[in-house]
Every structure is written in C-alpha cells, then in structure tokens.
Amino acid sequence: MDKKNNIKVYKNEKTTITVNENWCKSCGICIHFCPKKVLVSNEKGFPEAKNIDDCIHCNLCELRCPDFAINVKKNEIAVEHSVNQKGLED
Amino acid sequence: MNNSITQYFRKEMFPHIWCPGCGIGIILGAILRAIHSLGWEKDDIAMVSGIGCSSRITGYVDFNTMNTTHGRALPFATGIKMANPSLKVITVMGDGDCAAIGGNHFIHSARRNIDITAIIINNMIYGMTGGQYSPLTPTGKFGSTAPYGNIDQTFDLAALAASAGASYVSRSTIFDVNQATRFIKKALLKKGFSVVEIISDCPISFGRINQLRTPVQMLEWIKNITVPKKVWDKLSEEEKEGKFPTGEFLDIDIPEYTERYQETCNRIQ
Ligand SMILES: Cc1ncc(C[n+]2csc(CCOP(=O)(O)OP(=O)(O)O)c2C)c(N)n1
Ligand code: SF4
Ligand code: SF4
Ligand code: SF4
C-alpha cells in the first residue's frame, strides 16, 4: 500500500503544516490546545489546518503531539523547528 | 516528519504502540529534542528502561538500549556506567517501576549520586497492567485496585531524591513540554544523579476510572493540578491539597560516584 498519500501538506505564504495521517491517532490534543484555533478535526479526527493564516509558529501542536504526526514550519526563514529554541533558553 | 529528531528513531517501529493521546510519546519527543540540542552522538548514549508502557521507549530509539526487568533499570544502568563512565546513561521509568518495585534502587542511586539521568514518566498508575494504583496515585483517586478511592499518601519523589543525595531534581508535565525539555537538558548535562519527574497522562488505565476519559480532559486536569514552585510556596496547607508543585527543586555540585570510585582505584594502586 502506498502510504505517501496519507501525508497532508497545508501551506500558505508563511507557513507549512504537515500532518502524517499514517501516524496520527486522532487524539485531539493539537486541535484543542492550539492557541490560535488553527486546526480543526476532519471526519476521521485528523487535524486540518483550516485557519493556517492565524498560525503563530509557537510549535506547541508539534511539541505536544504524542505521535510525531504534525510538523509546523515557518516558510521564510530556514530555522531548525524540531527544537523550540526559545523554550530551551534558560 | 521531523528530520532532526527522527534521526534518532528506529523508524521501522513506527507508528508506536502507545494509545491515542498517551503522554509517553510527548516525553519521548522532549527527551529527543533535549539530546538533539546538545548534539550528542547516538553511540555515546545508553538508554535503559524497566517494564511498563513507559519502558517501551527504549524500543523506539537508535541509541545503545536495554529493556530490562520491572523496577531494575537503575541497577542495570549502574553497571553500564561503572563499566564505561564515558557513556551518557539515561534511565526511563514508569512511576510504578521507579517508586514501587524499584523504590530502593532509586533511593540508593540518589544516595550514591551516580551520574545517571533518571526520567520518571509519572502517569500516576500502573498503565500496562490495567490501572492498579501506584505509590504516586493521588490520594482519593481511583484505580482498579482502589475501587473506593486510594487511601495511601502520595510519594513525593522529588523530595525523596533530594533528601537521599541526588544532584539535580525537577518536576514538569507533558502540558509544559518546553519546560520539560529544558529540565531534561539540564539533567543530562549535570554530573551526578539527576531526576526529572514528568507528570503524564494515561487516558486508558487512569482516565477511564477517574472520569478523565479523553487525552484532552487529562491534559486539562494535569494543567489544573500543577502549580509552579514559587506559587506553591505561598499556598496554605488546604490549598496544596490535591496539587503538585513543578519546577527545579535541587541543583548542586557534589562528588559523583564513578569519579570517587576512580579516585579510590588511583589511590590504592
Ligand atoms: C517482577 C515483576 N512484577 C510485576 C510485573 C507486572 N508489571 C508489568 S508492568 C507493571 C507496572 C507498570 O506500571 P508503571 O511502572 O507505572 O509503568 P506504566 O505502564 O504506567 O508506564 C507491572 C506491575 C512484572 N513484569 N515483573
Ligand atoms: S504552531 Fe501554534 S499556532 Fe500554529 S498550528 Fe501549531 S499550535 Fe497552532
Ligand atoms: S496531537 Fe498528533 S496524534 Fe493527536 S490528533 Fe494531533 S496530529 Fe494526531
Ligand atoms: S495504557 Fe496508558 S500508559 Fe499504557 S500506552 Fe495506553 S495510555 Fe499509555
């Protein structure tokens, strides 16, 4: 089975949000705790970046996802997004 | 998905086995982000676990790993550290694993102040075996072995580790994932026994019997029962009831076990 199709990419000028639907278990954490309500649940419970224009790149959805299934990237600057640099400063 | 931390995965093992919304995956992410920020090589790390859902972590990471017996992560880790002190040794334990069956190992690892980073995934229950209460189940909460509410006092593992002789002790939660990552990073860098307790969820074995059925309800609950240390210190005894302080409780530099052992060897040669 070609699982590639289950990787959904949502994109606007500033932001790319990728959801790996092969790994997502529809727990709802990313959707509920997004401070800007960027994400909504689709019929299978997977997050869809319906309001992507409101994304502030806080990365909380990615950091709190238990399944490594959602990834947020700020488009214009090439920064390392897996580590929330701000969060790691003392 | 996320190149910088997926490099540590045993990718063929994914998606992982944990239930939807289980905090163990969030903590795995925090550990890997902390390690990544330090730029450590995979082969320099030895990760040791016991038995439980939490202990399955070692199956998913491409370090030197050992999934040992229930409660015994620290004895195995001690052996590894003594044999090769240059390794970065990390143990990952569940609250039952660490505080019940492994309680004595935990106390004595702290007393020795051996250079091991002990990460405790505190989901407040025996997740894997169906929700028996653990020494960290809050008083009054329900478990399959506490159908009328748990009458035990809850262990304060942070206070225990600090008084037993550890170098670094902190507590965070899966909700405060940035803080948890920062504490793990500090613990990894600390020479000596370093403890990070992370309050986690288990929507299945804890949540169902405690009316916190969904991962979102569990995270909201964790957010509500935890209080930063600074605020905690000003609360009255009644206000502290059912709440847990988070933050860093101890960060000191004291002689470490493998170094003292080496010094002794040098002296008697
Ligand atoms: C010597 C021994 N006693 C009991 C068990 C059964 N057992 C397996 S996991 C577990 C407890 C799991 O709880 P915890 O350590 O809190 O980890 P969790 O599953 O919640 O992550 C028990 C009692 C065992 N495997 N070995
Ligand atoms: S990065 Fe922050 S604002 Fe953007 S979708 Fe994720 S949680 Fe929402
Ligand atoms: S937090 Fe992760 S697993 Fe849960 S719904 Fe969002 S993407 Fe899926
Ligand atoms: S039983 Fe609990 S601790 Fe175990 S995987 Fe499921 S949610 Fe996680």
Side-chain angles (χ1 to χ4, degrees), chain B residues 124-125 131-155 206 210 241:
Chain B
M124 309 184 169
I125 206 83
Q132 296 82 1
Y133 66 87
S134 92
L136 296 185
T137 304
T139 311
K141 285 289 165 199
F142 296 89
S144 58
T145 48
Y148 306 109
N150 177 27
I151 60 168
D152 286 10
Q153 285 192 64
T154 313
F155 238 151
F206 185 89
N210 284 293
E241 199 79 31

Side-chain angles (χ1 to χ4, degrees), chain B:
Chain B
M1 300 241 41
N2 188 324
N3 289 331
S4 39
I5 63 167
T6 52
Q7 66 177 304
Y8 305 114
F9 285 170
R10 289 181 181 142
K11 275 219 188 71
E12 67 283 6
M13 301 296 290
F14 284 79
H16 59 56
I17 194 170
W18 298 303
C19 309
C22 174
I24 300 169
I26 305 177
I27 296 170
L28 171 59
I31 296 171
L32 296 181
R33 288 181 182 101
I35 288 173
H36 179 70
S37 73
L38 293 168
W40 288 355
E41 296 291 321
K42 289 194 241 179
D43 288 346
D44 293 341
I45 298 166
M47 191 181 268
V48 186
S49 64
I51 293 292
C53 295
S54 305
S55 291
R56 298 193 99 134
I57 266 196
T58 45
Y60 294 106
V61 290
D62 192 21
F63 305 132
N64 300 292
T65 60
M66 231 181 159
N67 188 187
T68 70
T69 55
H70 193 33
R72 271 60 181 173
L74 283 167
F76 284 94
T78 299
I80 292 169
K81 188 71 190 178
M82 290 301 283
N84 188 351
S86 67
L87 281 173
K88 318 278 190 193
V89 182
I90 305 167
T91 60
V92 182
M93 298 175 282
D95 48 300
D97 204 39
C98 175
I101 191 168
N104 254 319
H105 299 305
F106 181 71
I107 293 170
H108 293 287
S109 302
R111 183 177 60 82
R112 283 173 165 159
N113 191 37
I114 186 159
D115 185 23
I116 293 171
T117 303
I119 295 164
I120 299 146
I121 301 183
N122 177 15
N123 58 18
M124 309 184 169
I125 206 83
Y126 286 9
M128 180 174 263
T129 47
Q132 296 82 1
Y133 66 87
S134 92
L136 296 185
T137 304
T139 311
K141 285 289 165 199
F142 296 89
S144 58
T145 48
Y148 306 109
N150 177 27
I151 60 168
D152 286 10
Q153 285 192 64
T154 313
F155 238 151
D156 183 344
L157 271 194
L160 181 73
S163 61
S167 290
Y168 176 85
V169 179
S170 62
R171 181 185 290 119
S172 187
T173 77
I174 52 169
F175 184 78
D176 303 293
V177 61
N178 276 320
Q179 183 196 55
T181 310
R182 203 165 66 234
F183 288 177
I184 294 169
K185 186 179 173 184
K186 282 184 85 169
L188 290 170
L189 285 173
K190 191 79 190 175
K191 186 104 199 152
F193 194 64
S194 328
V195 177
V196 186
E197 177 194 326
I198 304 172
I199 296 178
S200 188
D201 68 345
C202 171
I204 302 301
S205 298
F206 185 89
R208 277 209 284 228
I209 201 167
N210 284 293
Q211 282 78 53
L212 299 163
R213 283 170 171 270
T214 68
V216 166
Q217 282 175 311
M218 281 237 62
L219 260 80
E220 290 281 6
W221 178 70
I222 288 171
K223 189 170 90 178
N224 290 333
I225 58 158
T226 48
V227 187
K229 192 175 157 292
K230 267 193 204 140
V231 180
W232 171 265
D233 290 339
K234 294 191 188 121
L235 296 182
S236 67
E237 286 312 307
E238 284 108 71
E239 287 168 327
K240 284 180 181 168
E241 199 79 31
K243 297 237 175 350
F244 300 91
T246 56
E248 294 178 293
F249 304 101
L250 184 75
D251 185 356
I252 51 172
D253 293 308
I254 47 174
E256 189 271 328
Y257 194 68
T258 58
E259 284 183 354
R260 273 185 296 166
Y261 181 78
Q262 194 53 53
E263 278 162 24
T264 307
C265 293
N266 296 345
R267 180 161 50 79
I268 59 178
Q269 256 162 17

